[in-house]
Amino acid sequence: MSEPKKVQGDLVLSHVTKSFGDFTAVDDLSLTIPKGSFFALLGPSGCGKTTTLRMIAGLEEPTSGTISIGSTDITDTKPYERPVNTVFQNYALFPHLTIFENVAFGLRRRGIKNVDAEVERVLNLVELSHLKSRKPGQLSGGQQQRIALARAVVNKPALLLLDEPLGALDLKLRRQMQIELKWIQTEVGITFVHVTHDQEEAMTMADTVAVMNNGRIEQMGSPAELYENPRTVFVANFLGQSNFIDGSIEGTDGDNVIANLHGVRIVFPKTRNNANGKAVKVGIRPEKFRLHDAGSSAAGNVLTGGIITDISFFGVSTQYMVEMPWKQELMVFEQNDGGAPDLAKGDAVTLSWEPQFTFALDGTDPSQAK
Amino acid sequence: MALAHAEVGNKAHAPKKRAKRIAYFLLAPGLTWLLIFFAFPLINLAETSTKTPAPTFETGEFVQTFRFSNFVDAFVNNQEQFFRSFLYALIATLFALAIAYPLAYAIAFRSGPWKNLMLILVVAPFFTSFLLRTLAWKQILGAEGPVVSALQFLGILPPEATITATAFSVILGLTYNFLPFMTLPIYASLDRIDYRLLEASGDLYANGVTTFRKVTLPLSAPGVVAGTLLTFIPASGDYINAQLLGSPENYMIGNVINSRFFRVVDYPTAAALSFILMATILVLVVIYIRRLGTDELV
Ligand SMILES: Nc1ncnc2c1ncn2[C@@H]1O[C@H](COP(=O)(O)OP(=O)(O)O)[C@@H](O)[C@H]1O
Ligand SMILES: [Mg+2]
């Protein structure tokens, strides 16, 4: 029986590194997760998400760096001493215990005598109270997932860690559980750290998303911020699709930067410039482009001389592939709301977009599309 | 829709029948084996157990008289050995459990790259015969052996005392001989435990000891049950250990059956004793499994 430390506050990882032999799984990671927030750690498989969570849970020891909650340093405490609970990737329910006892496990270990009311309350929260005398083996994947959540939530930890908890569920159940998880988080007010490689999941659920790549945080922010203003090619490509046009910066004009893209001058706000030198990769999301018949005038940044090479109809929108004079194909999404001209393959077109939708990345950014 | 359903139903039916036939076919060798090596000898034994000596009083000649009181006589005359058999077997089982559990635990969780080697070492004694190993113990524990000399030198054992020909050495022999039967099933059940369950337990505020009590031990219960049965059952019928490491004072029921059969040539009593032994073990095993509850045997 060990009472976890009664600590509250923001979770702070400070210069945390984890190496396995000479392989660095987590590389000098520093981040602050505000108390009560729904935080998503998003990244491709193998980028170090699970390792990060395991270090927070105490199941893995950082090679260097410190982890603290509020002002309490928990780096050297045992897992059972931390006010942290985990919903494991594979659920890890105890097969020999009933659902009730699985959920009561943490409470009993802390010496709480009357667990019935609490267990019942949490089982009701996940709507599985009627299954409490069953064994985990008799539950479906989705039900097991909810029990794993209940087993963690019942302890009212300062921090709840979720390691791809929806990974094994089919798409429909996944979407449903995403909504439920979000609702439960608001209900219990616990800080959730949710690990996922599904960008849609991270974007719809989290207040703050940290995009992780090769053991490092590439960028952190609200879902909208990450989508609208990604600072690296990796982030831009991990969250949706983008067009990148190579160019060079020529100067500034008030709050705007002037850049030259294959002989065409465009502008974008200084606040959206992430280029270190003159070389720049100008990023435009496909849905930000407007298509016009060649020769017609357009406002904002304008690229002329495009030829439509392919059209795919998606229902809500249509995707056009447009070949530019410098032989680059750009992707354009147009809403099927009658706003776009009637176009066919081979038509000459002009592209335009609002300068504030531009995100300018460093021209030497080596990241490749995912 | 209904049509499609019916069709699926029909199709599913035929393979089911065939699967049943295949199942019987696959079971056949096992059933034949059981019949030849278990049922026939058992019937033969049952028949012998109620016989009485032939009127001619020729050695080894018996006639069927359905004398069921053979059983009563056999039991009453050998109560002491029966009791001793189960007592020794029980103590040996407990000792074996006490040694095997930590051993199996170490192999399953702590042996790292040495796992396979350690498993081989556990079964290595099987490469020599049971009899030979027990004889070796007789040497080791004997009056001239290293153990006695050492203990006498240290003054722990008085000069004239021996270790062989005592209950201690018989139980030691039993424990030693059946240790692998205890270790392997426990190892198998421990090895199957998902390591992440132990992590989950730690995550839910259980320290190492509590995790062992609440997760590891219950999950290894099937192995413990199998191991104790595999040790207790053969140990209670054993006679080699008592014969080589004990004295007539330590004889178990196996020794009595052995001597009734081969030396006194009293087949009916030997048969009756065998039956009583078998029935008692069966009853004990049933009680044991019932008491543990089938729940534990996930
Ligand atoms: N115990 C370990 N020993 C060696 N390498 C490991 C260990 N755990 C994880 N790794 C490696 O660290 C990297 C990050 O793993 P992980 O954190 O599980 O990634 P993610 O959860 O993001 O998919 C992977 O390349 C993985 O192979
Ligand atoms: Mg992972």
Side-chain angles (χ1 to χ4, degrees), chain A residues 44-51 89 163-164 195 197:
Chain A
S45 183
C47 73
K49 304 180 299 288
T50 297
T51 307
Q89 202 161 3
D163 191 357
E164 309 212 14
V195 157
H197 64 260

Side-chain angles (χ1 to χ4, degrees), chain A residues 2 4 54 80 82 84-86 88 90 92-96 106 109-110 151 155, chain B residues 194 196-197 199-208 210 214-215 218-219 295 298:
Chain A
S2 13
R54 288 174 60 84
Y80 57 86
R82 299 189 185 198
V84 174
N85 288 113
T86 309
F88 289 87
N90 65 330
L93 298 176
F94 302 120
H96 59 297
R109 299 293 83 75
R110 278 153 53 203
R151 185 178 69 169
N155 303 295
Chain B
D194 186 346
R196 290 169 293 196
L197 293 178
E199 288 190 344
S201 172
D203 188 66
L204 292 163
Y205 315 109
N207 60 24
T210 315
K214 295 292 173 184
V215 183
L219 287 177
D295 252 17
V298 227

